[in-house]
Amino acid sequence: MSQTLPAAIPASVFEQRADAIAEAARELSAMGWTPATSSNFSMRVDASHAAITISGRHKGKLGRDDIMLIDLDGEPVGTDARPSAETALHTQVYRRWPEMNAVLHTHSRTQSVASRLFAADGVVRLQGWELQKAISGCHTHESTLEIPVFPNTQHMPELVARVAAWLDAGKPLHAYLIDGHGIYTWGRDMAETRRHLEALEFLLGCELDLKKLRAS
Amino acid sequence: MSQTLPAAIPASVFEQRADAIAEAARELSAMGWTPATSSNFSMRVDASHAAITISGRHKGKLGRDDIMLIDLDGEPVGTDARPSAETALHTQVYRRWPEMNAVLHTHSRTQSVASRLFAADGVVRLQGWELQKAISGCHTHESTLEIPVFPNTQHMPELVARVAAWLDAGKPLHAYLIDGHGIYTWGRDMAETRRHLEALEFLLGCELDLKKLRAS
Amino acid sequence: MSQTLPAAIPASVFEQRADAIAEAARELSAMGWTPATSSNFSMRVDASHAAITISGRHKGKLGRDDIMLIDLDGEPVGTDARPSAETALHTQVYRRWPEMNAVLHTHSRTQSVASRLFAADGVVRLQGWELQKAISGCHTHESTLEIPVFPNTQHMPELVARVAAWLDAGKPLHAYLIDGHGIYTWGRDMAETRRHLEALEFLLGCELDLKKLRAS
Amino acid sequence: MSQTLPAAIPASVFEQRADAIAEAARELSAMGWTPATSSNFSMRVDASHAAITISGRHKGKLGRDDIMLIDLDGEPVGTDARPSAETALHTQVYRRWPEMNAVLHTHSRTQSVASRLFAADGVVRLQGWELQKAISGCHTHESTLEIPVFPNTQHMPELVARVAAWLDAGKPLHAYLIDGHGIYTWGRDMAETRRHLEALEFLLGCELDLKKLRAS
């Protein structure tokens, strides 16, 4: 599948994004966080474009050719490839925050189980963990980090609206879970976004362990 | 052990199947799903033959020479090697569905434990997980995916009859568990079959985690 | 540390055993079953000698020079090296069963926890698992496999006496646990011994999982 | 970032320490014990200096340039780099015990969860595990190994004072946990320190498993 780029986007810029996405995908896949062709990843290319994983590919074997260009309405640009069904959740981040440049969505077992367990509460509250400080803007374990859990749906506009409603209520948002599904997180660059994802996976895992042990 | 092929089967076709089986075996073994020489794998070769793992080999070190040809009655063709004791469960799939071309049987700890836990119910019901969509024909997390659990036996015809009875009752079947034993799943090609297996391992693991946590 | 061999033992024979032990040690260490320099491994060399790991070495980095020769009283032969403190448990196997040629002792988390949990019962009873068939002489999941759990002690003759008492009572023995410590198992060659160890680790892990889930 | 060394410290000595720290960091990171740029590591260089990880680097990709020189007041020497925020906990060890030459601080999920679970008791008591013998000075599973759990704080002098108070009370100390955070341990060289860390991770994991199972 070939990708034609608009004149304003140098090939080297698109390729840098595509390579960074493919590298992240291979490494997250090796940790088992992208089972069975699930998960999707993107990076901003410029003010009105992003690079995103093509739908249905196995994330453990991703290369530059598995990444496509879209505009911020989620429409393919210069390619016949089909972007992920959940593209609208990526473009929402890029449109809302000009300073955000990468979005990662994974499906680890911990993320999926936590989403089911906390779905009724609608939120996971993380408090008392030193690793909360890995989230940009969080400077002490004494703060409370809220990760909302939205109901799953196959209809993307519904999810986009729930994310928007949370933000419009003025609540901070670093990541969200979707019930029975997985997590979305983002950051100013790929390194920050991966640090967020790694910290959230760790903290959700700790919460699940502690819940099992405290019941003992 | 040498393999002689019938004139109608080109060496390149048998070798392609053997290599694909050996590669899958090595990768599934590395995940710990084939403990202690257990598990077996096959691919259809043509309308009346399949390639299958020879009994008793360590799955982490499988090569082309560890794969043999059988007919769809499970009899060795052109070799003195002995196929897996569970060959009849593979040939049943190829006889029943002309469009199915690969069968994987593994023994992960999650699969074995889930089979014991749900044996009394005779079925695992998966509902509300986005990853159900990795099973071909399943388009929403709102459906219910039923994986039957059949009693274990060292007498294969009994197991074959239980699978047939489920199908003859008109119920959909994508995979089944055998109590205290492991899982069988299949697909149109090796990639689809591995996607099914990876998704089912993930979903069974999530169900077990959730059961531990909900009791808390 | 140099190893001088008796005239009756060809260097190639000792080296084959030493290499097989070192390879097993590195692979078992990579699975996390030999934490913090624990665990020890041996192979029979002839009717009155065995090769065994030198005490205190990190099992993940073992080479041929980390293996020494002993007689079946556990005394070093042709070397100043010190064998493992638990050497008497290895030589007991070689003296009792002329057909046994390898002994593996590991300390996985599953083995240690199972030993504590079942210490009061003095035995783990495995029943209903297909993988019991990986133990030589076991042909059906319907049999019961008994793995005794002996109290831990720093005084080896006490442990040797407990193993002897079990055997003198005419009970079958394929492996045993020591409370808070780890597992011992053996076989006719290294491949059979590793198959036994891998199967027992798997089965003990399944029993622990099932116990957690059935309490739910 | 460049490191200038005092005349009394040969480059080869600093480089040996830096390489040993970087190697330990990469290996501990591969085990998942340093999530999201957390954790820090040091080695003594001489009676009044230590080498320590620079703050905020990803521990899986550490090289010699990610290590800096400090004095035993925790001040940078010959570099503009910023040492870890928790440097005072490392220098406390080097000042208190002239024979101690390495300090490791990690954040595994097991360590973090154990610290939360035992925070109210203020201590984890390990008893009956053979692997206690991996801690220098411990010769039998019958002894009790006490690992204190100190409350977390972003104010380091408070933590330093708690460690000092424990020691001033004459109690043995091989390692300590900080609530919601991680573990500190040390030793006479890097190999001993890593053996301590590996043994403590294992023993804490066993205690958590046993607690889940005994509640069953």
Side-chain angles (χ1 to χ4, degrees), chain A residues 127-131 133 141 195 198 202 205-206 209 213-214 216, chain D residues 35-36 38 58 107 109 112-113 116 152 154 180-181 208 212 215:
Chain A
Q127 205 274 334
W129 300 106
E130 180 72 11
L131 214 69
K133 289 165 58 186
H141 64 285
R195 199 183 70 223
E198 211 177 315
F202 181 89
C206 287
D209 281 354
L213 282 155
R214 289 215 161 128
S216 298
Chain D
S38 70
H58 195 291
H107 273 241
R109 184 161 145 181
S112 294
V113 170
R116 286 291 286 263
N152 197 16
Q154 301 303 320
H181 189 152
L208 296 189
K212 284 182 204 161

PDB file of all heavy atoms in Angstrom, chain A residues 127-131 133 141 195 198 202 205-206 209 213-214 216, chain D residues 35-36 38 58 107 109 112-113 116 152 154 180-181 208 212 215:
ATOM      1  N   GLN A 127      -3.801   6.790  44.586  1.00  0.00           N
ATOM      2  CA  GLN A 127      -3.354   7.671  45.677  1.00  0.00           C
ATOM      3  C   GLN A 127      -2.310   6.957  46.512  1.00  0.00           C
ATOM      4  O   GLN A 127      -2.459   5.776  46.801  1.00  0.00           O
ATOM      5  CB  GLN A 127      -4.572   8.051  46.525  1.00  0.00           C
ATOM      6  CG  GLN A 127      -4.435   9.361  47.279  1.00  0.00           C
ATOM      7  CD  GLN A 127      -3.742   9.157  48.627  1.00  0.00           C
ATOM      8  OE1 GLN A 127      -3.802   8.079  49.200  1.00  0.00           O
ATOM      9  NE2 GLN A 127      -3.070  10.201  49.097  1.00  0.00           N
ATOM     10  N   GLY A 128      -1.233   7.650  46.849  1.00  0.00           N
ATOM     11  CA  GLY A 128      -0.239   7.070  47.764  1.00  0.00           C
ATOM     12  C   GLY A 128       0.902   6.333  47.086  1.00  0.00           C
ATOM     13  O   GLY A 128       1.709   5.707  47.745  1.00  0.00           O
ATOM     14  N   TRP A 129       0.985   6.398  45.743  1.00  0.00           N
ATOM     15  CA  TRP A 129       2.035   5.697  45.001  1.00  0.00           C
ATOM     16  C   TRP A 129       3.095   6.686  44.526  1.00  0.00           C
ATOM     17  O   TRP A 129       2.784   7.648  43.838  1.00  0.00           O
ATOM     18  CB  TRP A 129       1.442   4.990  43.772  1.00  0.00           C
ATOM     19  CG  TRP A 129       0.396   3.957  44.061  1.00  0.00           C
ATOM     20  CD1 TRP A 129      -0.950   4.099  43.857  1.00  0.00           C
ATOM     21  CD2 TRP A 129       0.589   2.643  44.588  1.00  0.00           C
ATOM     22  NE1 TRP A 129      -1.604   2.944  44.230  1.00  0.00           N
ATOM     23  CE2 TRP A 129      -0.684   2.026  44.685  1.00  0.00           C
ATOM     24  CE3 TRP A 129       1.717   1.908  44.993  1.00  0.00           C
ATOM     25  CZ2 TRP A 129      -0.864   0.724  45.162  1.00  0.00           C
ATOM     26  CZ3 TRP A 129       1.536   0.618  45.463  1.00  0.00           C
ATOM     27  CH2 TRP A 129       0.262   0.035  45.550  1.00  0.00           C
ATOM     28  N   GLU A 130       4.325   6.431  44.851  1.00  0.00           N
ATOM     29  CA  GLU A 130       5.430   7.277  44.385  1.00  0.00           C
ATOM     30  C   GLU A 130       5.411   7.416  42.861  1.00  0.00           C
ATOM     31  O   GLU A 130       5.721   8.469  42.315  1.00  0.00           O
ATOM     32  CB  GLU A 130       6.767   6.656  44.834  1.00  0.00           C
ATOM     33  CG  GLU A 130       8.008   7.416  44.419  1.00  0.00           C
ATOM     34  CD  GLU A 130       8.228   8.715  45.166  1.00  0.00           C
ATOM     35  OE1 GLU A 130       7.523   8.963  46.173  1.00  0.00           O
ATOM     36  OE2 GLU A 130       9.102   9.503  44.746  1.00  0.00           O
ATOM     37  N   LEU A 131       5.029   6.344  42.166  1.00  0.00           N
ATOM     38  CA  LEU A 131       5.117   6.376  40.702  1.00  0.00           C
ATOM     39  C   LEU A 131       4.092   7.302  40.042  1.00  0.00           C
ATOM     40  O   LEU A 131       4.178   7.576  38.848  1.00  0.00           O
ATOM     41  CB  LEU A 131       5.036   4.971  40.104  1.00  0.00           C
ATOM     42  CG  LEU A 131       5.891   4.819  38.839  1.00  0.00           C
ATOM     43  CD1 LEU A 131       7.371   4.863  39.143  1.00  0.00           C
ATOM     44  CD2 LEU A 131       5.551   3.541  38.107  1.00  0.00           C
ATOM     45  N   LYS A 133       4.241  10.230  40.295  1.00  0.00           N
ATOM     46  CA  LYS A 133       5.100  11.340  39.865  1.00  0.00           C
ATOM     47  C   LYS A 133       5.617  11.172  38.434  1.00  0.00           C
ATOM     48  O   LYS A 133       6.158  12.119  37.855  1.00  0.00           O
ATOM     49  CB  LYS A 133       6.274  11.506  40.834  1.00  0.00           C
ATOM     50  CG  LYS A 133       5.851  12.065  42.202  1.00  0.00           C
ATOM     51  CD  LYS A 133       6.923  11.895  43.267  1.00  0.00           C
ATOM     52  CE  LYS A 133       8.221  12.547  42.890  1.00  0.00           C
ATOM     53  NZ  LYS A 133       9.286  12.229  43.898  1.00  0.00           N
ATOM     54  N   HIS A 141       3.255  11.887  45.845  1.00  0.00           N
ATOM     55  CA  HIS A 141       2.417  10.701  46.014  1.00  0.00           C
ATOM     56  C   HIS A 141       1.159  11.037  46.814  1.00  0.00           C
ATOM     57  O   HIS A 141       0.271  10.207  46.941  1.00  0.00           O
ATOM     58  CB  HIS A 141       3.212   9.620  46.752  1.00  0.00           C
ATOM     59  CG  HIS A 141       3.576  10.029  48.141  1.00  0.00           C
ATOM     60  ND1 HIS A 141       4.576  10.930  48.419  1.00  0.00           N
ATOM     61  CD2 HIS A 141       3.048   9.683  49.338  1.00  0.00           C
ATOM     62  CE1 HIS A 141       4.666  11.122  49.727  1.00  0.00           C
ATOM     63  NE2 HIS A 141       3.746  10.373  50.308  1.00  0.00           N
ATOM     64  N   ARG A 195       6.252   6.837  28.948  1.00  0.00           N
ATOM     65  CA  ARG A 195       6.427   6.898  30.402  1.00  0.00           C
ATOM     66  C   ARG A 195       5.057   6.900  31.084  1.00  0.00           C
ATOM     67  O   ARG A 195       4.848   6.189  32.075  1.00  0.00           O
ATOM     68  CB  ARG A 195       7.211   8.167  30.776  1.00  0.00           C
ATOM     69  CG  ARG A 195       7.826   8.108  32.166  1.00  0.00           C
ATOM     70  CD  ARG A 195       8.525   9.403  32.505  1.00  0.00           C
ATOM     71  NE  ARG A 195       7.562  10.465  32.709  1.00  0.00           N
ATOM     72  CZ  ARG A 195       7.679  11.718  32.246  1.00  0.00           C
ATOM     73  NH1 ARG A 195       8.736  12.073  31.558  1.00  0.00           N
ATOM     74  NH2 ARG A 195       6.740  12.599  32.486  1.00  0.00           N
ATOM     75  N   GLU A 198       3.576   3.303  30.741  1.00  0.00           N
ATOM     76  CA  GLU A 198       4.279   2.343  31.600  1.00  0.00           C
ATOM     77  C   GLU A 198       3.900   2.556  33.068  1.00  0.00           C
ATOM     78  O   GLU A 198       3.673   1.602  33.821  1.00  0.00           O
ATOM     79  CB  GLU A 198       5.797   2.530  31.409  1.00  0.00           C
ATOM     80  CG  GLU A 198       6.611   1.299  31.585  1.00  0.00           C
ATOM     81  CD  GLU A 198       8.111   1.529  31.313  1.00  0.00           C
ATOM     82  OE1 GLU A 198       8.466   2.183  30.317  1.00  0.00           O
ATOM     83  OE2 GLU A 198       8.910   1.036  32.113  1.00  0.00           O
ATOM     84  N   PHE A 202       1.672  -0.044  35.491  1.00  0.00           N
ATOM     85  CA  PHE A 202       2.238  -0.438  36.785  1.00  0.00           C
ATOM     86  C   PHE A 202       1.257  -0.123  37.915  1.00  0.00           C
ATOM     87  O   PHE A 202       0.984  -0.971  38.776  1.00  0.00           O
ATOM     88  CB  PHE A 202       3.555   0.318  36.992  1.00  0.00           C
ATOM     89  CG  PHE A 202       4.250  -0.013  38.281  1.00  0.00           C
ATOM     90  CD1 PHE A 202       5.142  -1.066  38.344  1.00  0.00           C
ATOM     91  CD2 PHE A 202       4.011   0.728  39.438  1.00  0.00           C
ATOM     92  CE1 PHE A 202       5.789  -1.374  39.544  1.00  0.00           C
ATOM     93  CE2 PHE A 202       4.647   0.426  40.631  1.00  0.00           C
ATOM     94  CZ  PHE A 202       5.534  -0.629  40.686  1.00  0.00           C
ATOM     95  N   GLY A 205      -1.834  -2.315  37.916  1.00  0.00           N
ATOM     96  CA  GLY A 205      -1.449  -3.649  38.387  1.00  0.00           C
ATOM     97  C   GLY A 205      -1.304  -3.680  39.906  1.00  0.00           C
ATOM     98  O   GLY A 205      -1.763  -4.619  40.566  1.00  0.00           O
ATOM     99  N   CYS A 206      -0.682  -2.643  40.476  1.00  0.00           N
ATOM    100  CA  CYS A 206      -0.543  -2.568  41.935  1.00  0.00           C
ATOM    101  C   CYS A 206      -1.908  -2.498  42.613  1.00  0.00           C
ATOM    102  O   CYS A 206      -2.148  -3.168  43.624  1.00  0.00           O
ATOM    103  CB  CYS A 206       0.274  -1.337  42.318  1.00  0.00           C
ATOM    104  SG  CYS A 206       2.037  -1.485  41.962  1.00  0.00           S
ATOM    105  N   ASP A 209      -3.508  -5.970  42.579  1.00  0.00           N
ATOM    106  CA  ASP A 209      -2.854  -6.845  43.566  1.00  0.00           C
ATOM    107  C   ASP A 209      -3.296  -6.506  44.986  1.00  0.00           C
ATOM    108  O   ASP A 209      -3.587  -7.389  45.794  1.00  0.00           O
ATOM    109  CB  ASP A 209      -1.327  -6.658  43.507  1.00  0.00           C
ATOM    110  CG  ASP A 209      -0.694  -7.412  42.355  1.00  0.00           C
ATOM    111  OD1 ASP A 209      -1.400  -8.177  41.669  1.00  0.00           O
ATOM    112  OD2 ASP A 209       0.521  -7.237  42.137  1.00  0.00           O
ATOM    113  N   LEU A 213      -5.218  -8.724  47.879  1.00  0.00           N
ATOM    114  CA  LEU A 213      -4.564  -9.007  49.165  1.00  0.00           C
ATOM    115  C   LEU A 213      -5.340  -8.439  50.338  1.00  0.00           C
ATOM    116  O   LEU A 213      -5.381  -9.051  51.405  1.00  0.00           O
ATOM    117  CB  LEU A 213      -3.149  -8.425  49.160  1.00  0.00           C
ATOM    118  CG  LEU A 213      -2.166  -9.280  48.370  1.00  0.00           C
ATOM    119  CD1 LEU A 213      -1.011  -8.457  47.868  1.00  0.00           C
ATOM    120  CD2 LEU A 213      -1.666 -10.429  49.259  1.00  0.00           C
ATOM    121  N   ARG A 214      -5.955  -7.286  50.153  1.00  0.00           N
ATOM    122  CA  ARG A 214      -6.672  -6.667  51.273  1.00  0.00           C
ATOM    123  C   ARG A 214      -7.934  -7.433  51.597  1.00  0.00           C
ATOM    124  O   ARG A 214      -8.433  -7.374  52.715  1.00  0.00           O
ATOM    125  CB  ARG A 214      -6.968  -5.208  50.951  1.00  0.00           C
ATOM    126  CG  ARG A 214      -5.664  -4.412  50.991  1.00  0.00           C
ATOM    127  CD  ARG A 214      -5.882  -3.017  51.520  1.00  0.00           C
ATOM    128  NE  ARG A 214      -4.606  -2.455  51.976  1.00  0.00           N
ATOM    129  CZ  ARG A 214      -4.118  -1.280  51.608  1.00  0.00           C
ATOM    130  NH1 ARG A 214      -4.792  -0.523  50.763  1.00  0.00           N
ATOM    131  NH2 ARG A 214      -2.975  -0.844  52.102  1.00  0.00           N
ATOM    132  N   SER A 216      -7.949 -10.533  51.715  1.00  0.00           N
ATOM    133  CA  SER A 216      -7.488 -11.766  52.377  1.00  0.00           C
ATOM    134  C   SER A 216      -7.712 -11.693  53.889  1.00  0.00           C
ATOM    135  O   SER A 216      -7.602 -10.635  54.477  1.00  0.00           O
ATOM    136  CB  SER A 216      -6.001 -11.979  52.110  1.00  0.00           C
ATOM    137  OG  SER A 216      -5.767 -12.131  50.734  1.00  0.00           O
TER     138      SER A 216
ATOM    139  N   PRO D  35      10.128   0.778  36.543  1.00  0.00           N
ATOM    140  CA  PRO D  35       9.165   1.341  35.593  1.00  0.00           C
ATOM    141  C   PRO D  35       9.276   2.853  35.450  1.00  0.00           C
ATOM    142  O   PRO D  35       9.520   3.557  36.439  1.00  0.00           O
ATOM    143  CB  PRO D  35       7.808   0.967  36.214  1.00  0.00           C
ATOM    144  CG  PRO D  35       8.083   0.746  37.659  1.00  0.00           C
ATOM    145  CD  PRO D  35       9.476   0.187  37.724  1.00  0.00           C
ATOM    146  N   ALA D  36       9.129   3.332  34.193  1.00  0.00           N
ATOM    147  CA  ALA D  36       8.911   4.766  33.940  1.00  0.00           C
ATOM    148  C   ALA D  36       9.988   5.683  34.511  1.00  0.00           C
ATOM    149  O   ALA D  36       9.669   6.661  35.163  1.00  0.00           O
ATOM    150  CB  ALA D  36       7.522   5.164  34.466  1.00  0.00           C
ATOM    151  N   SER D  38      11.899   5.430  36.957  1.00  0.00           N
ATOM    152  CA  SER D  38      12.114   5.366  38.411  1.00  0.00           C
ATOM    153  C   SER D  38      13.388   4.595  38.736  1.00  0.00           C
ATOM    154  O   SER D  38      14.054   4.087  37.852  1.00  0.00           O
ATOM    155  CB  SER D  38      10.944   4.653  39.064  1.00  0.00           C
ATOM    156  OG  SER D  38      10.967   3.279  38.738  1.00  0.00           O
ATOM    157  N   HIS D  58      15.935   6.830  31.471  1.00  0.00           N
ATOM    158  CA  HIS D  58      15.300   5.508  31.386  1.00  0.00           C
ATOM    159  C   HIS D  58      16.341   4.449  31.705  1.00  0.00           C
ATOM    160  O   HIS D  58      17.364   4.344  31.036  1.00  0.00           O
ATOM    161  CB  HIS D  58      14.695   5.279  30.006  1.00  0.00           C
ATOM    162  CG  HIS D  58      13.753   4.114  30.002  1.00  0.00           C
ATOM    163  ND1 HIS D  58      14.178   2.817  30.149  1.00  0.00           N
ATOM    164  CD2 HIS D  58      12.402   4.054  29.925  1.00  0.00           C
ATOM    165  CE1 HIS D  58      13.126   2.010  30.138  1.00  0.00           C
ATOM    166  NE2 HIS D  58      12.045   2.738  30.011  1.00  0.00           N
ATOM    167  N   HIS D 107      11.821  -0.430  42.179  1.00  0.00           N
ATOM    168  CA  HIS D 107      10.373  -0.162  42.302  1.00  0.00           C
ATOM    169  C   HIS D 107       9.550  -1.292  41.719  1.00  0.00           C
ATOM    170  O   HIS D 107       8.615  -1.015  40.964  1.00  0.00           O
ATOM    171  CB  HIS D 107      10.026   1.039  41.400  1.00  0.00           C
ATOM    172  CG  HIS D 107      10.175   2.383  41.978  1.00  0.00           C
ATOM    173  ND1 HIS D 107       9.133   3.244  42.098  1.00  0.00           N
ATOM    174  CD2 HIS D 107      11.254   3.011  42.467  1.00  0.00           C
ATOM    175  CE1 HIS D 107       9.568   4.390  42.608  1.00  0.00           C
ATOM    176  NE2 HIS D 107      10.856   4.278  42.842  1.00  0.00           N
ATOM    177  N   ARG D 109       6.716  -4.150  41.092  1.00  0.00           N
ATOM    178  CA  ARG D 109       5.309  -4.213  41.509  1.00  0.00           C
ATOM    179  C   ARG D 109       5.203  -4.947  42.849  1.00  0.00           C
ATOM    180  O   ARG D 109       4.478  -4.509  43.740  1.00  0.00           O
ATOM    181  CB  ARG D 109       4.538  -4.935  40.407  1.00  0.00           C
ATOM    182  CG  ARG D 109       3.061  -4.995  40.624  1.00  0.00           C
ATOM    183  CD  ARG D 109       2.370  -5.302  39.302  1.00  0.00           C
ATOM    184  NE  ARG D 109       1.188  -6.148  39.467  1.00  0.00           N
ATOM    185  CZ  ARG D 109       0.425  -6.562  38.464  1.00  0.00           C
ATOM    186  NH1 ARG D 109       0.729  -6.228  37.216  1.00  0.00           N
ATOM    187  NH2 ARG D 109      -0.644  -7.319  38.677  1.00  0.00           N
ATOM    188  N   SER D 112       6.423  -2.598  45.620  1.00  0.00           N
ATOM    189  CA  SER D 112       5.476  -1.510  45.877  1.00  0.00           C
ATOM    190  C   SER D 112       4.240  -2.023  46.617  1.00  0.00           C
ATOM    191  O   SER D 112       3.779  -1.398  47.576  1.00  0.00           O
ATOM    192  CB  SER D 112       5.053  -0.848  44.557  1.00  0.00           C
ATOM    193  OG  SER D 112       6.157  -0.202  43.967  1.00  0.00           O
ATOM    194  N   VAL D 113       3.717  -3.166  46.169  1.00  0.00           N
ATOM    195  CA  VAL D 113       2.508  -3.707  46.792  1.00  0.00           C
ATOM    196  C   VAL D 113       2.798  -4.165  48.223  1.00  0.00           C
ATOM    197  O   VAL D 113       2.040  -3.878  49.154  1.00  0.00           O
ATOM    198  CB  VAL D 113       1.930  -4.857  45.941  1.00  0.00           C
ATOM    199  CG1 VAL D 113       0.825  -5.601  46.685  1.00  0.00           C
ATOM    200  CG2 VAL D 113       1.405  -4.310  44.615  1.00  0.00           C
ATOM    201  N   ARG D 116       2.890  -1.254  50.643  1.00  0.00           N
ATOM    202  CA  ARG D 116       1.567  -0.753  51.032  1.00  0.00           C
ATOM    203  C   ARG D 116       0.906  -1.693  52.030  1.00  0.00           C
ATOM    204  O   ARG D 116       0.291  -1.268  53.007  1.00  0.00           O
ATOM    205  CB  ARG D 116       0.650  -0.628  49.804  1.00  0.00           C
ATOM    206  CG  ARG D 116       0.958   0.522  48.891  1.00  0.00           C
ATOM    207  CD  ARG D 116       0.651   1.892  49.481  1.00  0.00           C
ATOM    208  NE  ARG D 116      -0.747   2.204  49.541  1.00  0.00           N
ATOM    209  CZ  ARG D 116      -1.399   2.929  48.628  1.00  0.00           C
ATOM    210  NH1 ARG D 116      -0.755   3.442  47.618  1.00  0.00           N
ATOM    211  NH2 ARG D 116      -2.678   3.178  48.767  1.00  0.00           N
ATOM    212  N   ASN D 152       6.358   7.018  53.280  1.00  0.00           N
ATOM    213  CA  ASN D 152       6.919   7.785  52.164  1.00  0.00           C
ATOM    214  C   ASN D 152       6.834   9.277  52.459  1.00  0.00           C
ATOM    215  O   ASN D 152       5.940   9.726  53.172  1.00  0.00           O
ATOM    216  CB  ASN D 152       6.170   7.472  50.858  1.00  0.00           C
ATOM    217  CG  ASN D 152       6.951   7.918  49.625  1.00  0.00           C
ATOM    218  OD1 ASN D 152       8.153   8.194  49.700  1.00  0.00           O
ATOM    219  ND2 ASN D 152       6.276   7.972  48.485  1.00  0.00           N
ATOM    220  N   GLN D 154       8.265  13.250  50.412  1.00  0.00           N
ATOM    221  CA  GLN D 154       9.093  13.901  49.396  1.00  0.00           C
ATOM    222  C   GLN D 154      10.257  14.650  50.061  1.00  0.00           C
ATOM    223  O   GLN D 154      11.091  15.246  49.377  1.00  0.00           O
ATOM    224  CB  GLN D 154       8.261  14.839  48.514  1.00  0.00           C
ATOM    225  CG  GLN D 154       7.112  14.128  47.777  1.00  0.00           C
ATOM    226  CD  GLN D 154       7.566  12.968  46.895  1.00  0.00           C
ATOM    227  OE1 GLN D 154       8.590  13.048  46.214  1.00  0.00           O
ATOM    228  NE2 GLN D 154       6.822  11.854  46.925  1.00  0.00           N
ATOM    229  N   GLY D 180       4.501   2.535  49.438  1.00  0.00           N
ATOM    230  CA  GLY D 180       3.992   2.946  48.124  1.00  0.00           C
ATOM    231  C   GLY D 180       5.095   3.245  47.126  1.00  0.00           C
ATOM    232  O   GLY D 180       4.847   3.809  46.059  1.00  0.00           O
ATOM    233  N   HIS D 181       6.295   2.860  47.438  1.00  0.00           N
ATOM    234  CA  HIS D 181       7.445   3.353  46.694  1.00  0.00           C
ATOM    235  C   HIS D 181       8.356   2.186  46.241  1.00  0.00           C
ATOM    236  O   HIS D 181       8.217   1.713  45.112  1.00  0.00           O
ATOM    237  CB  HIS D 181       8.165   4.326  47.641  1.00  0.00           C
ATOM    238  CG  HIS D 181       9.267   5.114  47.035  1.00  0.00           C
ATOM    239  ND1 HIS D 181       9.629   6.347  47.491  1.00  0.00           N
ATOM    240  CD2 HIS D 181      10.124   4.830  46.032  1.00  0.00           C
ATOM    241  CE1 HIS D 181      10.646   6.796  46.769  1.00  0.00           C
ATOM    242  NE2 HIS D 181      10.955   5.900  45.879  1.00  0.00           N
ATOM    243  N   LEU D 208       3.531 -12.521  49.600  1.00  0.00           N
ATOM    244  CA  LEU D 208       2.255 -12.038  49.042  1.00  0.00           C
ATOM    245  C   LEU D 208       1.423 -13.215  48.532  1.00  0.00           C
ATOM    246  O   LEU D 208       0.220 -13.305  48.794  1.00  0.00           O
ATOM    247  CB  LEU D 208       2.502 -11.028  47.909  1.00  0.00           C
ATOM    248  CG  LEU D 208       3.198  -9.712  48.289  1.00  0.00           C
ATOM    249  CD1 LEU D 208       3.161  -8.744  47.108  1.00  0.00           C
ATOM    250  CD2 LEU D 208       2.572  -9.061  49.512  1.00  0.00           C
ATOM    251  N   LYS D 212      -2.325 -14.515  49.935  1.00  0.00           N
ATOM    252  CA  LYS D 212      -3.524 -14.717  49.101  1.00  0.00           C
ATOM    253  C   LYS D 212      -4.066 -16.134  49.288  1.00  0.00           C
ATOM    254  O   LYS D 212      -5.269 -16.350  49.368  1.00  0.00           O
ATOM    255  CB  LYS D 212      -3.184 -14.527  47.610  1.00  0.00           C
ATOM    256  CG  LYS D 212      -3.014 -13.085  47.189  1.00  0.00           C
ATOM    257  CD  LYS D 212      -2.721 -13.026  45.669  1.00  0.00           C
ATOM    258  CE  LYS D 212      -1.980 -11.749  45.308  1.00  0.00           C
ATOM    259  NZ  LYS D 212      -1.289 -11.847  44.004  1.00  0.00           N
ATOM    260  N   ALA D 215      -5.648 -17.106  52.808  1.00  0.00           N
ATOM    261  CA  ALA D 215      -6.991 -16.553  53.007  1.00  0.00           C
ATOM    262  C   ALA D 215      -8.038 -17.433  52.337  1.00  0.00           C
ATOM    263  O   ALA D 215      -9.221 -17.350  52.632  1.00  0.00           O
ATOM    264  CB  ALA D 215      -7.060 -15.153  52.420  1.00  0.00           C
TER     265      ALA D 215
END
